[in-house]
Each structure stands twice: as structure tokens, then as C-alpha cells.
Amino acid sequence: MRLLLTTLIALPLATGALAQNDCANGLTLEDGKLTIATGNPAYYPWVMDDAPESKQGFEAAVAYAVANEMGFSDDQVVWVRSSFDEAIQPGAKNFDFNLQQYSITPERDEIVDFSVPYYSAAMAVLTRAPVVEGGAEATIDSLKGLIWGADANTTAVPMLGEVIAPEKDPLLYGDNTDVVEAMKANQIDAALFDLPTALYLSAVVLDDGVILGQFPAERSESPDSFGLLFEEGNPLKSCVDTALNALKADGRLAAIEAEWLSETTGVPVIE
Amino acid sequence: MALTRRQAYEARVKRRSTTIAAGSTLAVIVATLILVPLAPGWPAVKKSFFNAEVFADTFPGLLNAFLLDVAIFAWSAPLIFVLGLLVALARDVRAPAAYPLRLFAIVYTDIFRGVPVILVIYLVGFGIPGLGLPRPWNSPYIWGTVALVLTYAAYVAEVFRTGIESIHQSQRAAAASLGLSEADTMRYVILPQAIRKVVPANMNLFIALQKDVALLSFIGPVEIFRQAGVYKSLMANFTPYVGAALIFLAITIPATRYADYLLAKQRRARS
Amino acid sequence: MTALLETRSLQKSFGTNAVCKGIDLSVGRGEMVCLIGSSGSGKSTLLKCLNLLEPIDDGEILLDGEDISIPGLDPQPVRQRIGMVFQSFNLFPHMTAVENAMLAPRRVHGKDRATLLPEITGLFERFGLADRMAHYPDQLSGGQQQRVAIVRALAMKPEIMLFDEITSALDPELVGEVLDALRELREAGMTMILATHEMGFARELADKVCFLDAGMIHEEGPPEQVLSNPEKARTRAFLRRLL
């Protein structure tokens, strides 16, 4: 009788404890593990020192917050690396979700699934001091006359055409490093990046980098929002969305953003 | 006119082998068309690689971008021809004073045949403009072309050298006995024959060049490969690459067939 | 009378293989000299040395009394004065017959086509090739090719002509037309040196026949003597083998 009583009392507690884990139960690649993919390499300030397991950096911190919210301990998080192409190719994936500043677009959504957004990025104009000394200003008219570059795999490419419509055809590159290389070689005047990336490149990679200004996220018709990427139809999505929404609701996501991306305030807005 | 017994027999044999060849080809095609769609991943592959809608949306843009490939090819090919010829001639020079020239030609062909094209494009395309060349002399179009020309001229030079060496010594003797100078002998007797002899080999190199033009995209120019990459990235779909491949094939298959035809013709002429 | 072309103890080896071991040859202006001997006796090498296609090791070659075998001498002006026709024709296959003949006069003498044409056409007519001028070598028979080669050499107006077994690569029925061309040249007074196996032709036209054996002129003299009454046993043996 006592045993039964204890059981009856313990049951709701136990189920309560289980409830946190429930939604991910049996839906991950490996039971009891959450496999998260990021870029190779992963860049500051999204992941510090290319070491996501250190939980340092905005995306690393978000990943652990989501994992904890879903009931996974830090130890249960497994990191893998993937390229953009690996993320979108058909077939089984080696990750539960993938985060590396994937902008959510309707076209991409047909092939893969995205979580609710975890960050809305402003686009920023990265340039070099000599270009500013040469008279480049943070106005659309002035920007039109520059020679532009961008990372070909980002939504900066369509944005360039829509918002700035440069006079000369932009030059496109395979990754950040090549864009910066072209900038150093003076082959391009300016490049469009999401603001945190632009800040990083300007402060750390370029000697004479300047952020000329930003296009706030609200400005473009479809704001550039980053989502976690899933294999199309992955049932884990609703569980992750719930976790993300909870993080948003009580301000924890905003706190992570404030910790890692605080510098993004104070960059002039381009009208 | 009645057939001889032999002709009738040969016609019968030919008819039979044609039937068998047609039958087996048909069987392979039908098997492919039936079996591949039965594979479990086929719907996903079809959506990602053979998406009719994406194909129709992106094909005109790809064709347009291909014009840049054709243009780069068109201005690179004559330069490669000339430089390749000069290097081949430099290797043929026997005068002791010209020894450094010969040595240079040997080192040049060894180096540029030994380094992957993409490395040369990176090093020349970013490196030389990085030295501080003013615009427009730092253009990736210029230095990308230089990289292609340097690499392919090394191969073409080797082909020319083989051609020059394949011209029989008696031709030189005949020219010398007429009192022609070495330079005139090379120009009017040896080269015209050598160049004709290596047309098929050079055609194969130039077909490879047409494909390698796409590597210039790594340093900025938005040619077909890069354009396909942009579409791929925006739509999370590989179909644009399939479209690009088809455009390349439309050029390279006829060219390859023609080169093979020339080669076969030459072989017949020799025997 | 001084000889037009003269060699004095000419020596030539390829590596350790001595091909010419001190040859003394003298050819007067307007003379025709035939070199006979088995293959490997040094006939071809001697001819190549004479127009400086092969440098000689020792000895002298005098052209009209002038030493042309000085090491380091520019061979081109000498070669322009000495024409040569080869066993395997060696026409330039990418040029028509007339272009073959015009190449050297144009490039070496700097004459233009129009100036050259009447003269070259005359040469083609002289050797029965008037209707073959626009043909490429592979459209011509062996005999025609060899006559074009003769025309090509003559176009440079040489003082002396060298012929290296020019009928040896021909089908027997084509030999006659090429020998006729030589006969025509002989009558015109051209100084000629032939390496040949055509003994009948040598007997008919040569001023002098030289029998080469093992890199030396073993026996020389008028054809009736060397070919009909050779003094040396080896000459007799060679001629016997030939018949």
C-alpha cells in the first residue's frame, strides 16, 4: 500500500521530468544525442575560435540553449561539420539540425525545412578606408558607383541587385576569405555581408576595414532571417521550434544576442 | 541489279548486327528509365537535380552567363596559341647565346604543367593585383586570363614541340641545301607542317580550356559555373548545375567528335 | 685549268666510324663525275660534306679555288652555289610544286613571285612539268616529284649540282624520265656530281667515274676504263656483283 502510494506520488513527478525530453524522443539520429552541424570552418562571432563545443559565440550559445531546452545535457550534444551543399543535397543527413547563418527563403524551404528564425540580420556594407577617402558615402547613389563583391552562396547576392543595383556587374566569390582577398587586391570597392560578419571582417581580417552603414533587417521586403536547417520533413522541427519560441518568450535568446552581437548597435543606417 | 553471293551474305550479316545493336541499346535505356525511378531516393534526387521548374527559371540566365565563358575563351585561345608557339620555338633554339632562353622555356613548361590550374588562377588572380596595381590593370579578368594563358601555353608548347620534332630531318636538310637560313627553314618549312600535324592534339587541349574557363569564377567573374552556384544557393537546388553541364556538353561534344574525326583522318593518311 | 670543286684528303667520321678516310676528288667546270660503290662506301656522306650539310673533320674543300671548309664559316652562301637533289625527293609537302621551287629564291634572293614566275615556268617546261606546277607533291608520281626537286634546286641558279642516288627510290618505269632530265642538264653544260647505281647512264655520259670503297677513292678514270677494264680487283668484284 505504501509502495503503491509512493508510486502514485512519484509518477507525476517522473512524467513531469520526462515531459521535457519527450518531444525529441526517438527523433534524433542517435537516441540520447543531439547532433548539430556547423560550418567548416565556423567564423567569429558565430562560433569563437572554430570550437563550437566551447559554447562560445552566438550560434554555439544558441545551439546549447536549444539543446538544454529540449532536455539534452551539454554532454549529449555532438558537433559535426558540413558545407552548404551537403546540407541541401538529397538523401540522409548526418545531423539533426544545422546552423551556419542560413537565411530562410521560400525556395530553399521547398528542399529543406527551417526552424522559426533565431536571428534577423541586418545587411552591412563593408569597405576599406581608401574607398571612403575616395568619396564613397552611405547613400544609395554613391554606392551604385562602386565595384561590388559578395559571397555567392549568400542572400547578399539578390539583395545587391534589389537594393543597390550597382552600375557594374558585381564579382562573386566562394567564401568570405576570397571576398576579402579581392578587396585587398583592390579589385572590388565594397561587399555586402550580414552585419555581424561584416563587423568581424572589418575589425579582425582587414587592416583598413570600414563599415559604411547597414540596411536594417526590416528594410528589405523579405528580411534576412537565420533559421536552423533540417532535412525536409524532419519531425524534430516542431520540438526545436517549441524550444526556440520558449527561449524568445522569456528573453534568453535576446540575452545571448546581447552577449555576442552587442557591437551591431551604433552602425549608421543607409537611407 | 542482282547481288553477288558474297554481297547478299554481307548484307544479311550487317542487318543482323544492326538489329542486335539497336535491341541491346534499347534494352539498356528502358532498364535505366524503369529502374532508376524505382530507387527509394529518386523523388528527392529528381526534385534536387532534375527539377523542371527550376531548370526553366534558370536556363536563360545560365546561357547568358555562358557568353562570358565564350568571351574569355575567345580572347585566351589566340594568346595561348602564340605563347605556346614561342615557348616551343625557344626550346628548339640551338645557339649557345640563347641557352638561357631554352632553359627558361624548359623550366616554364615544367612548372606550369605541374601545378593545378586553380592554384595558378588564385596566385596570379589575387596575388599580382595585390601588389598594388592601379585599376583597370588589377582586373580579375586580366589576371585570370593571364593564369589560363600561362598554364595552357605550357601544354600547347609541348604539343608544338612534339610536332616540330616529328618533322623528318630530311626536310631540314632539303631546306638547308637550298641556302635557307635556320629561321626561314623553321618558319616556312617546319612550322607549317608541324602545326597542321598537331591540330587534333591542340583541339583536345582547347576543349579542356573551354571547360577550365569556369575556374575563373573563383576570383570573381560571374560566368556560368558561378551563376549556377548562385541559383543553387538561392533555391537550394542542384538543377542549375545540370543545366550548366548541358550547355557545356552542347559545345564540347561536337568539338570532341570533330577532333576525333581529324585524328582518324590523319591516321588514315599516314597508313 | 683549276677545278670548280676539289677536295683534298677529306676526312669524316661519325663517332668511331670513319666514313671518308682522305678523299681527293676534282671536278672541272662543266664536267660530270659519277661516284659508284656499294652502300656504306661513303658516297652519300661525301656529297653531304660537299655542300656543308655535314661538317668535315679534316682536309679541305675548295669551291672555285676558295676554301669553303674552314670551321665556323657561314654555310648558307656556299649552299646557294651548290644545288642538291636527294634520293627521297624531300619536297615540301605543304607547298605546290611551283611554291617549292620559288621558296628559296624568294627568301634568300628576296625576289617576288611575279619576277620569278617566267623563269620558274621556263624550268618546269624544260623538264616536262608545265601542267604540274599547281600540284602538291602527293599528287605527283615519284618521277615527277624528283624532277620537281631538280627544278627546285636549279631555281637557285647553282654553279654545281649534287645528285644523291636520285633514281634509287623510283619504280623502274619512272627511272627513264629522271635520267632524261639529267641528260638535258648535262647537255646544257651543268657541272654535276652523281652518286649512282645506273652504270649504263654513267658509261654514256660521265667524264669521270670514281669507285669508292671503304671511305677511299679506290679507282678513278674515264668510264670506259673504270667500268669496262677496271685495274683493281675490288672494282671488278663490285661490277661483277652488279651485273
Side-chain angles (χ1 to χ4, degrees), chain B residues 170-171 176-178 181 188 193, chain C residues 79 90-94 107:
Chain B
S170 64
Q171 288 282 309
S177 78
L178 290 167
S181 67
Y188 296 104
Q193 299 183 57
Chain C
R79 289 179 188 148
N90 298 0
L91 290 179
F92 307 133
H94 59 296
R107 296 300 149 201

Side-chain angles (χ1 to χ4, degrees), chain C residues 11-190:
Chain C
Q11 293 179 42
K12 172 72 186 174
S13 338
F14 294 104
T16 55
N17 178 22
V19 183
C20 299
K21 303 176 195 165
I23 290 182
D24 295 288
L25 178 74
S26 174
V27 184
R29 198 177 291 275
E31 269 188 347
M32 174 167 146
V33 173
C34 285
L35 309 175
I36 62 170
S38 50
S39 28
S41 59
K43 307 187 298 283
S44 265
T45 304
L46 176 59
L47 289 181
K48 285 197 183 109
C49 288
L50 290 182
N51 82 340
L52 313 186
L53 284 177
E54 292 289 351
I56 64 171
D57 298 334
D58 211 348
E60 286 176 345
I61 305 172
L62 305 177
L63 178 61
D64 213 0
E66 178 193 342
D67 188 356
I68 59 169
S69 57
I70 303 166
L73 183 86
D74 179 8
Q76 270 169 252
V78 176
R79 289 179 188 148
Q80 291 163 27
R81 299 167 64 188
I82 305 176
M84 180 146 183
V85 182
F86 301 85
Q87 178 177 347
S88 51
F89 327 142
N90 298 0
L91 290 179
F92 307 133
H94 59 296
M95 297 180 182
T96 60
V98 69
E99 284 167 345
N100 262 280
M102 279 188 179
L103 178 66
R106 285 177 63 204
R107 296 300 149 201
V108 178
H109 294 156
K111 294 182 183 164
D112 60 39
R113 285 172 205 269
T115 320
L116 285 167
L117 194 61
E119 190 182 309
I120 302 279
T121 308
L123 281 173
F124 274 92
E125 282 166 355
R126 186 172 152 199
F127 293 96
L129 292 164
D131 57 346
R132 291 289 178 270
M133 289 172 66
H135 286 56
Y136 283 91
D138 61 5
Q139 300 169 317
L140 299 172
S141 74
Q144 288 167 340
Q145 288 191 55
Q146 197 55 297
R147 282 182 286 150
V148 172
I150 294 171
V151 166
R152 179 174 71 176
L154 289 176
M156 286 299 283
K157 301 202 175 75
E159 296 164 44
I160 180 165
M161 289 279 285
L162 313 178
F163 298 91
D164 187 5
E165 300 197 25
I166 65 167
T167 56
S168 300
L170 294 176
D171 291 336
E173 72 272 20
L174 300 177
V175 169
E177 62 189 71
V178 173
L179 292 182
D180 284 345
L182 291 179
R183 202 168 277 125
E184 149 80 31
L185 270 182
R186 170 89 179 99
E187 277 156 20
M190 174 60 74

Side-chain angles (χ1 to χ4, degrees), chain A:
Chain A
M1 191 61 191
R2 272 185 71 117
L3 186 67
L4 183 66
L5 196 65
T6 326
T7 316
L8 277 173
I9 296 166
L11 198 62
L13 286 174
T15 44
L18 271 176
Q20 259 190 328
N21 273 326
D22 239 6
C23 76
N25 226 349
L27 298 181
T28 54
L29 283 178
E30 209 178 323
D31 274 348
K33 300 270 185 210
L34 184 64
T35 310
I36 307 176
T38 187
N40 188 17
Y43 288 105
Y44 176 102
W46 311 106
V47 172
M48 310 305 277
D49 300 323
D50 193 23
E53 54 284 345
S54 68
K55 297 175 226 167
Q56 305 292 300
F58 176 70
E59 285 184 344
V62 168
Y64 278 99
V66 169
N68 295 155
E69 185 66 21
M70 289 164 70
F72 293 95
S73 69
D74 291 355
D75 296 342
Q76 289 173 303
V77 172
V78 178
W79 287 95
V80 293
R81 305 294 181 135
S82 98
S83 67
F84 180 78
D85 287 8
E86 281 173 309
I88 63 167
Q89 76 191 9
K93 300 284 183 278
N94 65 344
F95 52 79
D96 288 314
F97 64 76
N98 191 330
L99 81 170
Q100 40 181 313
Q101 309 109 60
Y102 286 133
S103 299
I104 303 169
T105 70
E107 294 88 353
R108 289 175 175 181
D109 208 15
E110 287 189 15
I111 303 292
V112 289
D113 276 346
F114 288 103
S115 69
V116 295
Y118 60 90
Y119 181 69
S120 281
M123 280 286 177
V125 175
L126 174 67
T127 183
R128 288 167 58 237
V131 178
V132 179
E133 286 153 20
E137 292 170 20
T139 63
I140 295 288
D141 272 353
S142 171
L143 296 181
K144 272 183 190 300
L146 301 180
I147 299 181
W148 283 87
D151 179 340
N153 297 313
T154 65
T155 44
V157 179
M159 174 124 181
L160 250 182
E162 285 161 23
V163 180
I164 300 172
E167 286 155 16
K168 288 190 181 144
D169 287 339
L171 297 169
L172 303 181
Y173 303 88
D175 62 23
N176 292 350
T177 326
D178 286 358
V179 181
V180 169
E181 218 39 62
M183 212 171 246
K184 285 181 186 163
N186 195 28
Q187 290 171 327
I188 54 174
D189 294 318
L192 208 53
F193 287 106
D194 61 71
L195 182 53
T197 299
L199 282 166
Y200 158 69
L201 294 174
S202 145
V204 180
V205 181
L206 279 167
D207 291 335
D208 50 2
V210 175
I211 304 286
L212 202 53
Q214 62 166 317
F215 299 100
E218 313 80 60
R219 158 141 195 169
S220 51
E221 275 176 36
S222 46
D224 212 30
S225 299
F226 297 164
L228 308 179
L229 182 149
F230 303 89
E231 183 184 350
E232 176 82 353
N234 187 336
L236 194 63
K237 172 177 151 54
S238 65
C239 184
V240 171
D241 279 350
T242 310
L244 264 176
N245 284 331
L247 293 175
K248 281 185 189 174
D250 62 11
R252 272 179 289 165
L253 188 61
I256 294 173
E257 188 179 319
E259 184 183 355
W260 296 108
L261 305 176
S262 60
E263 298 162 67
T264 57
T265 51
V267 172
V269 167
I270 298 171
E271 295 303 333

